[in-house]
C-alpha cells in the first residue's frame, strides 16, 4: 500500500481541487485509491473534501478530526495522542485495501507553527511520501521557487520523501523559473475561468433573491455579469450565452430585450431585477413564452450598486452539491497531472481492476483507434449536437448530423459552441432518393413499393438505418427524442440479426465505485426462453470482453445452485448448461442469487466451489422485469453511472439512448458504437 500526503504550502492552493483531480487521474489508470482527511477546520458546513469524495467518487472515508480540538491537544503536549488518532483513521481507510491512499494535509498558518509541523508528523506517522501543492496566483516564478524550497526543506529535515510538486493557477513564469534542485513538477494547472462559473441558483442563494421565474435555475451557469444601467443598444450587444443581466426592475426595455434574446435561442444565465419591484403585468405577459423556455428571473430588494458589490465578492469555491462542476474540475486537473511520472515516483503496483473512470477512458481510447463514422438522425437535438461536436473534437468518432443545416448552425451559435472541422451536417431531403431502390430490394418480400419506401424514408431514423445498411456509415445512435421501438424497429427490418444470433438483446455497463459490471438483458426481451437466455449470455460475455472487461458470467435467479426448484430456476439452469456446451471458453455459473454472484463473503457460504460467485462481472437476468427493475434500482439508489443500453446481436451496430440522456451519455454511447463497428463482420 502506497501513502501520499498532499501538503499545501499556503492558503488558496486549491487543495480540494488538486486532491479530487489526483484521485480521478489515478482512478483513470485503474489504480484503486482511498482518501483520508485526518484534520479539518471547524465550520458550520460539512468538510468539503470528505463530502465531495464521498458523493462524487463513491469512496467511503472517515469523518476528520476538528482542527480546534487538535490544536488544544497539541498545546497541552498531546501530539502523540493526536498522531495515534490519525493512525486509527488510517486503519479505517485501509480496510478498503487500496493501492494508494491519498491523505490531504492541512493548510499551514504562519501564525500557528504547529500546522506545518503537523503535516510533517502525519507524513512520518503514516510512512507517506509528500506531494507539495501551491498557488501561483499573484506570485512570480521566483517567489514560487522560494516557497517550494522552504516547504520541501521542512519535510526533508524530518527524513520525509518529497516526490514532487503541483502548481495551481500557474502561468508561463512558473515554468521557466523553476530550479533543478526542487522536487520534480508533477503538473501545472493554468487558471481556467470556465471552471469557476457558478450556477444561477448559487447567485440566487448568495444574494438571497426571490424567484419570479425559476426556469433552468440549477442548470444554467454565469459566465459573465452585465450591469444593466446603460442604453438598450449597449446592453443588447453584450447579451451572450451565460450572461447574467442585473438591472433595475423598472428597466422594462432591458427586460424585454433579454427575454427576446433568450427566446431566440441564446441561453442567458438569467435576469436579476433590483430595487424590490417587478415588471408590470403586461410586460410579464409579453415575456411569458421566453421565460417558459428556461430563463431564470430573480428579484431582490437591494439596489443596483449594492448588488454589484456583493457579486464582486462572489466565492469561486464550488458548492458541494454542484456535481457537474466538480466533475469538470476533476477532469481538467487530471488532464494536467503527469500521472505516469507520479505513479513511477510512488512505485505503485499495476492495477488489475477496471474502475468506472478507467472503463470510460478505455472506451474513448478504443473509439479513437477505431476511427468510425457514426450517423446521428436526431441532428437538430441540442444534446446530440453538443455530443457530436465533442466527439469530433476528441476524435472519438467521425459524426454525421441529419437535419436542417441552417437550423443546426443557429443552434450551435446560440449555445456559444463552434462547429469543428470534419463534422458533417447533411440535409435529409437531399439523401432520401439515393436509398429508395435499396430499401425496396430489402423489403421486396413484404411487397414494399417505391412510393411507400419514399414515405418511410421521411423518418430520419429509417434513413439513417439505410445509410448504415448500405455501408455509407459505420454505426447509428438515436433515442434522445425517439422511443426505443422507433430506433430498434427499422434495424430489425432492414439490418436484421448477425449470423448465429438468435435475437437482439442489450447490456448496460454499470459503473459501481470499485468496478464496472455488465447487466443483460435490461431493455429488449420480456421473457426469453432458455435457448434465448443462453444467447444473451454469450452476446453479453463477448461484449464485455470487447470493452476490456474480463467476462465472468453469473446467471441470476432467486435460487443458488440446487437449492431451489421451479420453472424459472430450471430455465436459468438449462441456459447455463447450453452456454457451457456452445462456448467452453466462457467462465459461467448459475443459477446464482445476486448477492452470491457479487459478494465474496456470501459466495463463500452459498457457492464455495463456484468459479464465478463473489467475483462476477457479467450478470444475466432471467427476464426483462427483473433486469430492468434491478438496473434502475441500483442506478438510482446507489447513484451509479450507467452507460447503455448497448444493443447486441444486430448485423451492424445500432444503439438506443434514454430520452433523458445527458451529453456525456451520448458521447459514451457513440464511443461504444464505434467500438462495436470494428467487431462486427460486414455481411
Amino acid at each position: 500500500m502506497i501513502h501520499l500526503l498532499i501538503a499545501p504550502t499556503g492558503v488558496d492552493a486549491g487543495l480540494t481541487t488538486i486532491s479530487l483531480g489526483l484521485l480521478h487521474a489515478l482512478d483513470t489508470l485503474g489504480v484503486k485509491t482511498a482518501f483520508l482527511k485526518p484534520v479539518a477546520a471547524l465550520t458550520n458546513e460539512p468538510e468539503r473534501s470528505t463530502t465531495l469524495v464521498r458523493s462524487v467518487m463513491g469512496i467511503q472515508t472517515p469523518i476528520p478530526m476538528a482542527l480546534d480540538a487538535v490544536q488544544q491537544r497539541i498545546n497541552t503536549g498531546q501530539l502523540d495522542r493526536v498522531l495515534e488518532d490519525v493512525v486509527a483513521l488510517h486503519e479505517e481507510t485501509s480496510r478498503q485495501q487500496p493501492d494508494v491512499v491519498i491523505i490531504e494535509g492541512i493548510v499551514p498558518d504562519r501564525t500557528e507553527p504547529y500546522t506545518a509541523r503537523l503535516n510533517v508528523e502525519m507524513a512520518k506517522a503514516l510512512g507517506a511520501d509528500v506531494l507539495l501543492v501551491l498557488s501561483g496566483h499573484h506570485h512570480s516564478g521566483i517567489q514560487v521557487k522560494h516557497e517550494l524550497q522552504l516547504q520541501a526543506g521542512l519535510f526533508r529535515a524530518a527524513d520525509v520523501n518529497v516526490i514532487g510538486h503541483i502548481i495551481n493557477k500557474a502561468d508561463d513564469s512558473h515554468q521557466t523559473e523553476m530550479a533543478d534542485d526542487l522536487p520534480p513538477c508533477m503538473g501545472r494547472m493554468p487558471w481556467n475561468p470556465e471552471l469557476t462559473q457558478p450556477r444561477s441558483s448559487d447567485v440566487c442563494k448568495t444574494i438571497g433573491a426571490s424567484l419570479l421565474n425559476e426556469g433552468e435555475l440549477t442548470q444554467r451557469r454565469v459566465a459573465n455579469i452585465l450591469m444593466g444601467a446603460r442604453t438598450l443598444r449597449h446592453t443588447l450587444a453584450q447579451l451572450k450565452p451565460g450572461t447574467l443581466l442585473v438591472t433595475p426592475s423598472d428597466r422594462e426595455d432591458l427586460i424585454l430585450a433579454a427575454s427576446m434574446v433568450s427566446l431566440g435561442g441564446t441561453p442567458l444565465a438569467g435576469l436579476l431585477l433590483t430595487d424590490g419591484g417587478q415588471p408590470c403585468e403586461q410586460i410579464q405577459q409579453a415575456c411569458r413564452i421566453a421565460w417558459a423556455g428556461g430563463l431564470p428571473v430573480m428579484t431582490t430588494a437591494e439596489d443596483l450598486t449594492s448588488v454589484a458589490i456583493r457579486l464582486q465578492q462572489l466565492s469561486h469555491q464550488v458548492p458541494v452539491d454542484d456535481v457537474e462542476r466538480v466533475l469538470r474540475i476533476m477532469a481538467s486537473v487530471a488532464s494536467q497531472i503527469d500521472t505516469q511520472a507520479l505513479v513511477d515516483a510512488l512505485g505503485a503496483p499495476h492495477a488489475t481492476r477496471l474502475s468506472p473512470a478507467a472503463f470510460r477512458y478505455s472506451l474513448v481510447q478504443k473509439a479513437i483507434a477505431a476511427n468510425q463514422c457514426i450517423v446521428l438522425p436526431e441532428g437538430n437535438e441540442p444534446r446530440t449536437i453538443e455530443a457530436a461536436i465533442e466527439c469530433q473534437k476528441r476524435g472519438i468518432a467521425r459524426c454525421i448530423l441529419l437535419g436542417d443545416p441552417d437550423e443546426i448552425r443557429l443552434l450551435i451559435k446560440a449555445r456559444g459552441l463552434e462547429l469543428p472541422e470534419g463534422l458533417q451536417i447533411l440535409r435529409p431531403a437531399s439523401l432520401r432518393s439515393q436509398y429508395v431502390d435499396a430499401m425496396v430490394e430489402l423489403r421486396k418480400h413484404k411487397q414494399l413499393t417505391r412510393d411507400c419506401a419514399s414515405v418511410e424514408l421521411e423518418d430520419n431514423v429509417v434513413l439513417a438505418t439505410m445509410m448504415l445498411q448500405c455501408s455509407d456509415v459505420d454505426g447509428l445512435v438515436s433515442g434522445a427524442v425517439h422511443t426505443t421501438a422507433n430506433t430498434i424497429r427499422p434495424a430489425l427490418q432492414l439490418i436484421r440479426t448477425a449470423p448465429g444470433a438468435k435475437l437482439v438483446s442489450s447490456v448496460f455497463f454499470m459503473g459501481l465505485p470499485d468496478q464496472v459490471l455488465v447487466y443483460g438483458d435490461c431493455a429488449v426481451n420480456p421473457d426469453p426462453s432458455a435457448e434465448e437466455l443462453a444467447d444473451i449470455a454469450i452476446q453479453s460475455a463477448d461484449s464485455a470482453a470487447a470493452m476490456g472487461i474480463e467476462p465472468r458470467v453469473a446467471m441470476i435467479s432467486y435460487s443458488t445452485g440446487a437449492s431451489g426448484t421451479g420453472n424459472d430456476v430450471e430455465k436459468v439452469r438449462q441456459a447455463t448448461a447450453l452456454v457451457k456446451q456452445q462456448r467452453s471458453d466462457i467462465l459461467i455459473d448459475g443459477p446464482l442469487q445476486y448477492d452470491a454472484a457479487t459478494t465474496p463473503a456470501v459466495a463463500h457460504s452459498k457457492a464455495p466451489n463456484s468459479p464465478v460467485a463473489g467475483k462476477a462481472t457479467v450478470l444475466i437476468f432471467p427476464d426483462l422485469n427483473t433486469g430492468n427493475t434491478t438496473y434502475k434500482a441500483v442506478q438510482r439508489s446507489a447513484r451509479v453511472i450507467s452507460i447503455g443500453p448497448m444493443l447486441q446481436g444486430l448485423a451492424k451496430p445500432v444503439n438506443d439512448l434514454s430520452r433523458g440522456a445527458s451529453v456525456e451519455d451520448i458521447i459514451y454511447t457513440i464511443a461504444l458504437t464505434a467500438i462495436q463497428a470494428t467487431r462486427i463482420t460486414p455481411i
Side-chain angles (χ1 to χ4, degrees):
M1 191 180 302
I2 303 297
H3 305 88
L4 180 62
L5 178 76
I6 312 300
T9 64
V11 297
D12 198 33
L15 184 60
T16 297
T17 295
I18 299 301
S19 294
L20 288 168
L22 185 59
L23 285 165
H24 181 71
L26 291 172
D27 200 31
T28 299
L29 290 182
V31 177
K32 186 177 182 181
T33 55
F35 178 81
L36 173 63
K37 176 80 171 180
V39 182
L42 183 63
T43 67
N44 293 326
E45 301 290 332
E47 200 285 311
R48 290 178 49 76
S49 296
T50 300
T51 301
L52 288 169
V53 167
R54 287 178 173 179
S55 62
V56 177
M57 302 211 57
I59 298 175
Q60 295 304 306
T61 184
I63 298 172
M65 298 181 288
L67 181 59
D68 60 345
V70 169
Q71 179 182 5
Q72 184 178 3
R73 294 171 70 186
I74 291 175
N75 290 340
T76 57
Q78 299 183 64
L79 175 61
D80 289 341
R81 292 289 305 275
V82 169
L83 295 176
E84 289 176 16
D85 289 342
V86 170
V87 172
L89 290 173
H90 171 262
E91 288 296 317
E92 184 177 343
T93 305
S94 299
R95 293 171 192 155
Q96 304 172 39
Q97 298 183 328
D99 299 319
V100 177
V101 180
I102 301 297
I103 305 147
E104 191 175 280
I106 61 174
V107 177
D109 185 344
R110 297 190 186 278
T111 65
E112 298 287 352
Y114 81 91
T115 53
R117 180 191 174 194
L118 185 56
N119 281 333
V120 174
E121 294 296 335
M122 288 194 300
K124 290 173 60 179
L126 300 176
D129 295 317
V130 170
L131 180 67
L132 295 172
V133 177
L134 73 160
S135 172
H137 195 47
H138 298 315
H139 293 86
S140 68
I142 294 295
Q143 290 173 315
V144 168
K145 183 182 78 172
H146 289 165
E147 186 67 27
L148 282 171
Q149 288 173 329
L150 173 63
Q151 296 295 328
L154 290 174
F155 286 98
R156 287 168 173 168
D159 292 324
V160 175
N161 183 35
V162 181
I163 65 166
H165 71 271
I166 290 176
I167 304 176
N168 199 11
K169 305 171 188 175
D171 57 38
D172 292 340
S173 71
H174 305 130
Q175 182 171 0
T176 59
E177 296 182 21
M178 292 296 101
D180 293 337
D181 61 338
L182 293 173
C185 182
M186 299 294 181
R188 293 182 178 88
M189 315 299 156
W191 174 254
N192 185 353
E194 291 185 3
L195 299 178
T196 68
Q197 295 176 357
R199 299 165 297 188
S200 301
S201 58
D202 299 325
V203 175
C204 184
K205 183 179 180 181
T206 300
I207 299 297
S210 302
L211 288 176
L212 190 58
N213 184 65
E214 181 175 2
E216 297 176 343
L217 189 71
T218 60
Q219 289 83 47
R220 299 198 179 188
R221 295 192 177 274
V222 181
N224 59 287
I225 298 173
L226 177 62
M227 308 308 295
R230 301 183 66 180
T231 65
L232 174 60
R233 179 185 297 179
H234 178 83
T235 303
L236 193 59
Q238 299 183 66
L239 291 175
K240 301 175 181 178
T243 296
L244 174 67
L245 176 62
V246 186
T247 186
S249 56
D250 61 0
R251 288 296 304 272
E252 295 172 346
D253 58 334
L254 299 186
I255 295 170
L256 280 169
S259 299
M260 293 306 100
V261 168
S262 179
L263 185 60
T266 300
L268 300 177
L271 272 170
L272 177 56
L273 309 180
T274 65
D275 302 313
Q278 294 186 13
C280 68
E281 184 58 32
Q282 293 91 332
I283 295 295
Q284 292 192 41
Q285 188 64 34
C287 297
R288 202 166 302 282
I289 296 176
W291 294 3
L295 179 66
V297 184
M298 300 161 276
T299 65
T300 176
E302 297 185 42
D303 60 34
L304 191 66
T305 302
S306 300
V307 171
I309 294 172
R310 293 187 64 185
L311 288 174
Q312 287 178 345
Q313 300 170 346
L314 193 67
S315 174
H316 289 157
Q317 196 174 64
V318 59
V320 294
D321 66 341
D322 192 350
V323 176
E324 178 188 358
R325 185 173 160 198
V326 172
L327 291 172
R328 290 175 60 197
I329 291 172
M330 288 168 58
S332 178
V333 172
S335 69
Q336 299 297 321
I337 295 176
D338 190 344
T339 316
Q340 195 57 57
L342 180 62
V343 169
D344 291 341
L346 289 170
H350 293 291
T352 57
R353 76 183 185 99
L354 188 67
S355 71
F359 175 67
R360 294 192 296 271
Y361 176 81
S362 175
L363 284 186
V364 170
Q365 298 307 305
K366 288 176 182 284
I368 292 172
N371 188 31
Q372 300 294 297
C373 180
I374 306 300
V375 63
L376 306 167
E378 302 163 325
N380 294 66
E381 200 281 317
R383 291 166 296 163
T384 301
I385 294 171
E386 191 170 342
I389 289 173
E390 187 66 17
C391 286
Q392 196 74 36
K393 287 167 54 179
R394 295 167 63 183
I396 294 172
R398 293 175 284 115
C399 293
I400 295 177
L401 292 169
L402 293 184
D404 184 283
D406 294 333
E407 182 180 340
I408 292 173
R409 288 189 173 91
L410 282 174
L411 284 168
I412 291 173
K413 184 178 180 181
R415 300 181 80 84
L417 304 172
E418 293 184 3
L419 182 65
E421 184 179 353
L423 178 57
Q424 296 186 66
I425 304 174
L426 301 181
R427 192 183 303 274
S430 66
L431 301 173
R432 292 180 181 123
S433 62
Q434 303 175 30
Y435 298 100
V436 172
D437 290 339
M439 188 169 177
V440 169
E441 179 65 24
L442 281 169
R443 301 285 289 164
K444 62 184 180 182
H445 62 290
K446 296 291 186 180
Q447 289 80 49
L448 182 70
T449 66
R450 288 182 56 84
D451 288 343
C452 289
S454 297
V455 171
E456 290 193 31
L457 286 166
E458 293 288 329
D459 185 334
N460 281 0
V461 178
V462 176
L463 174 61
T465 305
M466 281 303 304
M467 294 173 69
L468 177 59
Q469 173 59 26
C470 294
S471 300
D472 293 330
V473 297
D474 302 307
L476 184 158
V477 174
S478 181
V481 177
H482 293 84
T483 65
T484 296
N486 287 341
T487 298
I488 296 179
R489 188 183 302 111
L492 291 173
Q493 293 174 344
L494 302 171
I495 293 175
R496 302 169 189 162
T497 56
K502 295 181 175 63
L503 76 175
V504 174
S505 64
S506 71
V507 290
F508 283 87
F509 296 91
M510 307 294 292
L512 278 67
D514 281 338
Q515 63 179 327
V516 176
L517 297 180
V518 179
Y519 284 9
D521 175 9
C522 305
V524 179
N525 297 285
D527 188 19
S529 65
E531 291 77 13
E532 291 171 334
L533 195 62
D535 199 48
I536 292 170
I538 292 171
Q539 291 179 7
S540 302
D542 289 342
S543 293
M547 302 303 165
I549 300 171
E550 182 182 353
R552 295 187 291 271
V553 182
M555 305 296 283
I556 302 300
S557 175
Y558 61 78
S559 170
T560 294
S563 64
T565 59
N567 293 335
D568 292 338
V569 178
E570 188 58 33
K571 179 177 76 171
V572 174
R573 189 174 288 116
Q574 291 176 12
T576 305
L578 286 171
V579 175
K580 291 179 178 179
Q581 293 171 13
Q582 297 170 24
R583 290 284 300 275
S584 59
D585 60 307
I586 294 177
L587 193 63
I588 186 170
D589 197 12
L592 289 170
Q593 292 164 287
Y594 189 99
D595 56 352
T598 59
T599 308
V602 177
H604 180 74
S605 172
K606 291 186 175 181
N609 300 316
S610 171
V612 170
K615 51 187 177 183
T617 57
V618 180
L619 285 78
I620 305 301
F621 298 98
D623 52 56
L624 186 59
N625 184 52
T626 306
N628 191 269
T629 301
T630 303
Y631 118 74
K632 286 184 177 178
V634 172
Q635 181 189 47
R636 300 300 179 187
S637 301
R639 302 180 70 177
V640 164
I641 297 173
S642 64
I643 300 175
M646 186 184 86
L647 300 181
Q648 43 192 26
L650 285 167
K652 294 188 176 185
V654 175
N655 279 312
D656 179 43
L657 298 165
S658 164
R659 277 169 283 178
S662 67
V663 173
E664 288 290 296
D665 293 335
I666 300 172
I667 289 171
Y668 290 118
T669 302
I670 291 172
L672 283 172
T673 308
I675 298 167
Q676 280 184 295
T678 64
R679 297 174 50 234
I680 297 176
T681 303
I683 58 175

